[in-house]
Amino acid sequence: MYFSVLGPLTVHSAAGEPVRVPEAKIRLLLAALLVRAGRTVSSDRLVDDVWGARTPRHPAGALQTKVSRLRRALELGEPGAGKLVESRAPGYLLRTGPADVDSGRFADTTAAAYATEDPRTRAELLTKALALWQGEPFAGLGEAAFLRPAAESLQEQRLAALEALAEARLELGEHHVLAGELGGPVARHPLRERLRAVHIRALYRAGRQSEALAAWADLRKLLAEELGADPSPELAALHRAILEHDEELAAAPVARRGAAAPPVPPTDLTGRAEAVSAVGELLAVHRLVTLTGPGGVGKTRLAEAVSGRTAGICPDGVRVVALAGPAAVAEQLSAALGIREEGTAGLEDALRSRRILLLLDNCEHVIDSAAEVVRRILAAAPGVRVLATSREPIGLAGEAVWTVPPLSQADAERLFARRASAAVPGFAVTEENAEAVAEICRRLDRLPLALELAATRVRALGVRELSARLDDRFRLLAGGRRGGPARHRTLRAVIDWSWELLADDERTVLRRLSVFAGGCTLDAAETVCGGRPDVLDPLIRLVDRSLVTVADGPRYRLPESVAAYARERLAEAGESEDLGQRHHTYFADLAERAADRLHGPEQRRGLVCLDRESADLRAALDWAVRRGDADGAARVSLASAWYWFLRGRLGEARRSLADTLRITGDDRPGPRARLALWHRGFALLAGETGKRPESGYEDGDGDRADDGRAVWFLGHALLRAGEDLARSETLVDRALAGLRAGGDRWGTAAALSTRAAQALLRGDLAGTRASADSAHALFEEEGDAWGLLQTSYPLAALAAITGDHARAAALHERGFRLAEELELPADAADRLTGLGRVALLDGDFPRAEELHRRAAALAAEHGYAAGEIHAEIGLALGARRAGDPERAEALLHKTLTWHQEVEFGPGPALLLAELGFLAEQRGDAPAALSFHRRGLAIARGGGDPRAVALAQEGLAGAHALAGRPVRAARLLGAAARARTRAGAPLPPAERGDVDRVTARVLAALGREAFTEAAR
């Protein structure tokens, strides 16, 4: 599959056939994924990109629909291509490589052109790259704001390639042609000094000196008027050379004879095309550019690649000076440049008239000396530019600092695969090993050096074993790389080098930061690592030295390899136990504070806080469990339980609670009982239905349980899992009494909301309304979004039952929005199912089908079995009403089997009624009677009068079919009375079966006999 964005957005199959991507929003979605190809794009970002300010009512569902259609379009174009669009939290990813997108091919081809010294080869490559362009990038996609930066960047790359091609052609002696050709581009881009310089040179060499001088004067005027600036020193020097008829202007080569060539790396550069362009642009503007970043991130290789593109601004070439050892920086520079004079003064004199690029590699260990030498050289030699690599900025005025990031995940995997295939001919990433390769790249922080070291181990270990052994990374990645400096031969040596350059306070803070598992805030760092005056300054310096990364918040994090190294140093210092205790105390306190915010108006903020700190909460819990600290483990587990539920982290909850239970003895009956209640509830929600708890754990409903919320939670889980309605009711009633007695308003509301759902299943509409209204009012007062989400469901169901479909839909839609805001996919699936039922009542079968399908997919994606079944029941209802009895019957039997396996109360009554109606419609009276009789028995056992009435209506149809119209009429009358008493008359949209049966009975008996029998 090949994607084109350098012009109108188009897609072609591998065979070159065009692939139709219909609908503007699907094309926008594809564009949004393409501009970030190889990276996961959050669902929120995609919604913003595709819809802008006109956000759809159900953004997540709308996006999912567009993604499905995009996959279908790609699949139609090429079998298997639909899988290119992957679901990956928190959104979606388009799996493509540079060769799959014309912009990627353009970047790779131009990078190869910039790396070659031969002007003819460079011109050929640039011509090939520019031939990929078919118009404005992303043409035809309107004014989508998210595309502007990408389009502008591509246009900039195109112009840079045009300028480089012009320079190459000038070197080849094509000045006569260029003098005319460049007039148009100059008119369109009059302020591009590089383009102007080529044009002016071409005019001069073509014998058009007056035009060259006029072009220079025009540029100077424009710069002054538009930017308030003067021409660059390079253009000013070109102007003087023209006036003086400098002989060198007539020479074809741009670089002077004897210019130092840039270094030629032994391997290709992977994943840095954009970085090469960005740093090259910086170097064209700034005379000092410093590449910073952690050891092994590829600063030197990037600098070498950039240096190969500087012939236009540094015609005297490039000198690489790898600063090493104790010798003074000035001495090392003099030796590299062949300057006999000693000291900086000699350097200044030697470089004063040179236009050269100095590539100063590895400045961090001589940073002060390097800064002083660079300062004096730049002041004395205006034609010199410096590209430095260092683990911290040099710190001079006018310095442009560019932090080299780790590779993207896709580029890291590509680099690892290339290096592994060099070590093991025939190696390739396949479906079987792709996950292990991805894990290796993630755990090695996507650092090129670490990946190259790891690739040498593939021959001996294979990728799966290599991935499994990364906990021992420093021994695993020792050796295997010769020819480079000693500090780059092993992973440990890379970090040793940085460690040795640190001051004592920096080492202290660095090793203590290793106790954090997921990064930390400044407050956490100061509290755990030693206090404000001892932490802040060293932390800032560690950020400058690229050993600590900082993100928005701010939040501080150690790369995984640095963290592993620092933990070793922490153990050597004998501080592991003390820091572990400090870390546990901090996060146990944080968990308890945040847990209080999860009930009420601060719910969303509490969730965000715990999301951010979840890795460290797990680490704090694990630390307490390893040391047998039952009280410490219980603090974290009980404080985290509601967070785990809201976030759907059922496996983590079960594992953590089980670990805590294991070390909590019977001498702590209260905490043990609460832990057991939560554990059993999570086990049910995770699908452990029909089983008793694991041996040794409390069942959770004994008299020792003194926490009403935990008792309620188990009852709620039993209901949610479709496990045991009667036991759920017993537990919730017991919890409700205790919660009311204790004055727990939130707990009371939670228990009432569950009681409302239970009453709805029993057909107790009055009880449903009383409990739901009370719970809703309490949750409104508490400002609890989750609670309002729960009460909206039974209230919506009541509205649907009483015929107020608009209110039912509004309540379900509000519930769906709340579920999305709180990121509760199971609840969102239930609300989609509710909306699907309303659509059925409105007779909108296509919409009902779409909603139920979305609900089933969402429930299945998140392992919510009961929700998937509820959605499939809706699909079955819709299929029968839309005239597809075979599909309806298959779905009904599937869902009936599930209900029978979990033995969930009255659930099967509706399914048996539907199967009975199907049998009756196909003329099978015995089967219809059997289904409806079974359904009637279950309905009577559950006590739901509406379910009883439905079974009676079904039996009426079966008896009418069997030739017993009087009995059928009596059953219809009984059903009507039951619905009237329940206050829930049959909705018009659901009268089809009753009307059909009634018509048959009337035809057999006549109106008078029918009325008498029904009475």
Side-chain angles (χ1 to χ4, degrees):
M1 191 67 70
Y2 181 67
F3 303 90
S4 299
V5 300
L6 303 179
L9 175 61
T10 59
V11 185
H12 288 80
S13 69
E17 296 297 322
V19 177
R20 181 172 175 270
V21 181
E23 189 185 330
K25 284 192 168 26
I26 298 177
R27 295 169 66 78
L28 274 175
L29 171 63
L30 176 58
L33 293 168
L34 278 169
V35 296
R36 309 171 185 95
R39 291 178 287 158
T40 300
V41 190
S42 72
S43 296
D44 290 343
R45 171 55 58 198
L46 289 172
V47 169
D48 287 343
D49 290 348
V50 175
W51 283 277
R54 300 173 66 99
T55 305
R57 180 177 295 179
H58 305 302
L63 176 62
Q64 190 177 47
T65 299
K66 299 302 181 193
V67 170
S68 297
R69 291 179 182 173
L70 174 58
R71 286 171 172 158
R72 191 178 308 125
L74 297 179
E75 190 70 28
L76 287 172
E78 184 174 309
K83 296 179 181 177
L84 293 175
V85 183
E86 294 184 0
S87 296
R88 185 177 293 185
Y92 297 91
L93 171 148
L94 180 63
R95 182 169 284 280
T96 61
D100 303 323
V101 188
D102 58 359
S103 59
R105 293 187 182 184
F106 176 76
D108 284 350
T109 307
T110 54
Y114 298 146
T116 183
E117 294 181 45
D118 177 34
R120 190 170 302 281
T121 302
R122 186 160 64 252
E124 290 171 355
L125 287 170
L126 290 168
T127 301
K128 178 182 176 183
L130 289 164
L132 294 168
W133 284 77
Q134 301 298 317
E136 296 296 312
F138 299 102
L141 290 179
E143 297 297 320
F146 77 92
L147 286 176
R148 287 192 206 110
E152 290 170 1
S153 175
L154 288 170
Q155 287 285 31
E156 176 59 32
Q157 293 174 45
R158 181 187 193 183
L159 287 170
L162 283 167
E163 291 166 339
L165 175 59
E167 290 171 346
R169 291 174 62 192
L170 192 63
E171 288 185 69
L172 295 171
E174 297 183 25
H175 39 269
H176 286 285
V177 177
L178 286 170
E181 281 185 3
L182 292 180
V186 164
R188 289 190 295 275
H189 307 284
L191 294 175
R192 291 190 71 89
E193 295 190 51
R194 184 181 179 190
L195 182 62
R196 285 280 201 163
V198 181
H199 189 215
I200 291 169
R201 286 177 182 273
L203 288 169
Y204 180 82
R205 290 182 185 177
R208 297 156 65 176
Q209 179 182 349
S210 60
E211 292 178 56
L213 290 170
W216 188 90
D218 177 59
L219 173 61
R220 182 176 63 176
K221 180 182 177 184
L222 273 174
L223 287 171
E225 292 175 350
E226 300 287 338
L227 305 178
D230 294 323
S232 67
E234 289 77 17
L235 275 167
L238 175 60
H239 181 235
R240 288 194 301 272
I242 291 173
L243 293 174
E244 296 169 1
H245 298 281
D246 192 325
E247 292 182 3
E248 291 191 5
L249 279 180
V254 174
R256 295 178 184 172
R257 191 183 311 168
V264 180
T267 58
D268 59 330
L269 186 63
T270 300
R272 296 297 194 197
E274 292 183 7
V276 170
S277 296
V279 177
E281 290 168 11
L282 275 181
L283 199 57
V285 177
H286 301 274
R287 294 179 60 215
L288 170 60
V289 176
T290 303
L291 304 183
T292 65
V297 78
K299 299 184 293 293
T300 301
R301 287 287 285 106
L302 176 57
E304 291 171 346
V306 172
S307 71
R309 298 179 53 183
T310 57
I313 56 174
C314 298
D316 289 333
V318 179
R319 289 290 187 185
V320 179
V321 184
L323 299 175
V329 172
E331 294 175 17
Q332 295 186 62
L333 267 172
S334 296
L337 293 168
I339 298 170
R340 298 183 61 183
E341 292 85 354
E342 295 182 359
T344 308
L347 282 171
E348 293 171 17
D349 292 337
L351 294 172
R352 198 176 303 278
S353 62
R354 304 281 293 275
R355 298 177 63 193
I356 192 170
L357 174 68
L358 298 179
L359 199 171
L360 303 184
D361 190 29
N362 186 38
C363 293
E364 60 268 6
H365 70 300
V366 286
I367 194 72
D368 293 332
S369 176
E372 177 59 20
V373 172
V374 169
R375 184 189 65 78
R376 295 180 64 179
I377 288 174
L378 293 178
V384 172
R385 294 174 186 268
V386 176
L387 177 60
T389 73
S390 177
R391 299 190 188 183
E392 61 179 299
I394 288 180
L396 293 178
E399 176 185 27
V401 178
W402 205 88
T403 301
V404 182
L407 293 171
S408 69
Q409 181 68 19
D411 286 330
E413 293 175 19
R414 192 174 300 114
L415 174 64
F416 179 85
R418 288 180 178 177
R419 299 298 182 262
S421 64
V424 185
F427 172 84
V429 178
T430 64
E431 289 186 7
E432 289 73 23
N433 65 19
E435 186 175 344
V437 169
E439 178 71 6
I440 290 167
C441 295
R442 281 193 295 270
R443 295 203 58 199
L444 291 177
D445 305 307
R446 307 189 310 280
L447 295 178
L449 175 62
L451 295 173
E452 292 182 354
L453 291 170
T456 66
R457 296 293 182 261
V458 173
R459 180 192 296 274
L461 297 174
V463 290
R464 291 189 185 86
E465 190 65 23
L466 176 60
S467 174
R469 291 176 176 265
L470 284 179
D471 285 341
D472 193 16
R473 66 188 64 202
F474 296 118
R475 188 169 65 175
L476 184 67
L477 304 184
R481 177 176 173 139
R482 299 185 181 90
R487 67 181 185 278
H488 282 175
R489 291 179 187 169
T490 71
L491 184 60
R492 182 182 294 280
V494 171
I495 306 176
D496 274 336
W497 175 262
S498 295
W499 178 266
E500 294 303 324
L501 298 175
L502 298 179
D504 287 343
D505 59 345
E506 294 166 348
R507 293 181 184 180
T508 298
V509 172
L510 181 62
R511 67 175 180 256
R512 291 179 178 177
L513 286 172
S514 69
V515 77
F516 294 100
C520 62
T521 62
L522 182 58
D523 175 72
E526 291 176 333
T527 302
V528 175
C529 297
R532 180 168 290 113
D534 299 323
V535 170
L536 182 58
D537 289 344
L539 180 61
I540 292 171
R541 295 196 298 273
L542 289 169
V543 171
D544 288 341
R545 286 161 172 73
S546 305
L547 288 167
V548 175
T549 62
V550 60
D552 292 341
R555 192 167 185 84
Y556 304 92
R557 184 186 299 272
L558 301 185
E560 187 170 334
S561 294
V562 174
Y565 181 93
R567 279 192 292 272
E568 291 184 5
R569 295 293 189 173
L570 188 70
E572 289 173 8
E575 295 180 332
S576 298
E577 190 69 21
D578 178 51
L579 265 292
Q581 182 62 64
R582 288 195 219 172
H583 177 274
H584 175 273
T585 300
Y586 180 87
F587 283 100
D589 290 344
L590 181 145
E592 290 171 343
R593 290 195 306 271
D596 291 338
R597 298 164 66 184
L598 296 183
H599 304 89
E602 294 290 299
Q603 191 169 71
R604 179 66 183 168
R605 290 180 62 187
L607 284 169
V608 170
C609 170
L610 292 174
D611 285 342
R612 195 168 49 237
E613 306 296 353
S614 59
D616 280 280
L617 289 168
R618 283 194 298 274
L621 177 59
D622 291 343
W623 184 89
V625 169
R626 285 196 304 271
R627 281 152 184 76
D629 179 2
D631 291 337
R635 282 186 68 195
V636 179
S637 291
L638 292 172
S640 302
W642 191 238
Y643 166 72
W644 290 328
F645 172 76
L646 289 177
R647 279 291 182 249
R649 298 184 179 178
L650 308 182
E652 180 181 353
R654 290 182 66 195
R655 182 178 61 256
S656 300
L657 289 161
D659 288 344
T660 306
L661 274 167
R662 191 174 59 251
I663 64 169
T664 303
D666 292 334
D667 57 328
R668 295 179 176 84
R672 182 171 178 81
R674 287 194 294 277
L675 290 164
L677 285 161
W678 285 103
H679 179 266
R680 179 59 180 151
F682 278 114
L684 288 164
L685 293 171
E688 191 183 279
T689 57
K691 302 176 184 176
R692 303 302 291 173
E694 291 90 335
S695 177
Y697 292 167
E698 294 294 337
D699 188 35
D701 58 352
D703 294 336
R704 293 187 302 178
D706 58 355
D707 188 325
R709 291 190 185 185
V711 176
W712 159 77
F713 177 72
L714 179 56
H716 179 77
L718 283 162
L719 177 70
R720 190 66 177 267
E723 172 74 359
D724 188 334
L725 180 57
R727 186 159 171 259
S728 170
E729 290 169 329
T730 299
L731 285 167
V732 172
D733 286 347
R734 182 158 66 87
L736 180 58
L739 291 163
R740 276 176 168 160
D744 185 343
R745 293 171 58 81
W746 186 94
T748 299
L752 284 169
S753 71
T754 306
R755 181 184 263 186
Q758 293 164 338
L760 184 63
L761 283 168
R762 294 293 191 193
D764 179 4
L765 302 188
T768 300
R769 185 172 300 281
S771 294
D773 283 342
S774 297
H776 191 79
L778 283 171
F779 278 133
E780 285 276 19
E781 292 172 10
E782 295 291 307
D784 190 278
W786 176 86
L788 295 173
L789 170 63
Q790 302 311 302
T791 55
S792 68
Y793 196 90
L795 290 173
L798 286 170
I801 290 168
T802 55
D804 191 348
H805 298 176
R807 174 170 165 74
L811 284 165
H812 281 310
E813 285 170 355
R814 183 190 184 192
F816 182 76
R817 287 195 300 273
L818 287 170
E820 284 202 310
E821 289 170 10
L822 294 173
E823 299 178 29
L824 302 175
D827 289 276
D830 283 342
R831 291 344 179 248
L832 288 173
T833 295
L835 286 167
R837 296 293 201 276
V838 175
L840 282 177
L841 292 173
D842 287 338
D844 188 347
F845 298 145
R847 175 164 169 75
E849 171 83 10
E850 179 191 357
L851 287 164
H852 284 122
R853 280 189 175 279
R854 284 173 55 194
L858 185 59
E861 182 181 350
H862 293 277
Y864 178 29
E868 189 176 0
I869 290 296
H870 297 158
E872 288 181 338
I873 291 172
L875 290 171
L877 297 175
R880 185 168 78 86
R881 286 149 182 77
D884 189 350
E886 291 81 9
R887 178 167 175 248
E889 190 165 19
L891 285 165
L892 288 167
H893 279 297
K894 175 186 175 183
T895 53
L896 179 62
T897 299
W898 182 86
H899 275 83
Q900 290 169 336
E901 287 174 352
V902 300
E903 300 177 357
F904 185 61
L910 171 63
L911 309 178
L912 290 164
E914 287 288 311
L915 286 166
F917 283 126
L918 279 170
E920 176 240 317
Q921 285 178 290
R922 66 171 178 264
D924 188 346
L929 282 168
S930 175
F931 282 126
H932 287 305
R933 282 169 176 159
R934 289 165 58 193
L936 180 60
I938 291 172
R940 283 174 172 160
D944 182 352
R946 292 186 308 128
V948 171
L950 181 63
Q952 290 172 328
E953 290 156 355
L955 282 168
H959 283 297
L961 180 63
R964 294 185 285 272
V966 174
R967 190 167 185 179
R970 290 173 179 168
L971 286 163
L972 287 171
R977 286 192 295 276
R979 290 188 182 279
T980 300
R981 285 195 299 269
L986 196 63
E990 292 295 294
R991 290 200 56 84
D993 294 314
V994 171
D995 289 346
R996 182 183 67 253
V997 173
T998 300
R1000 177 176 285 164
V1001 177
L1002 279 169
L1005 295 178
R1007 173 69 60 182
E1008 184 176 346
F1010 171 82
T1011 302
E1012 178 62 25
R1015 184 185 302 115

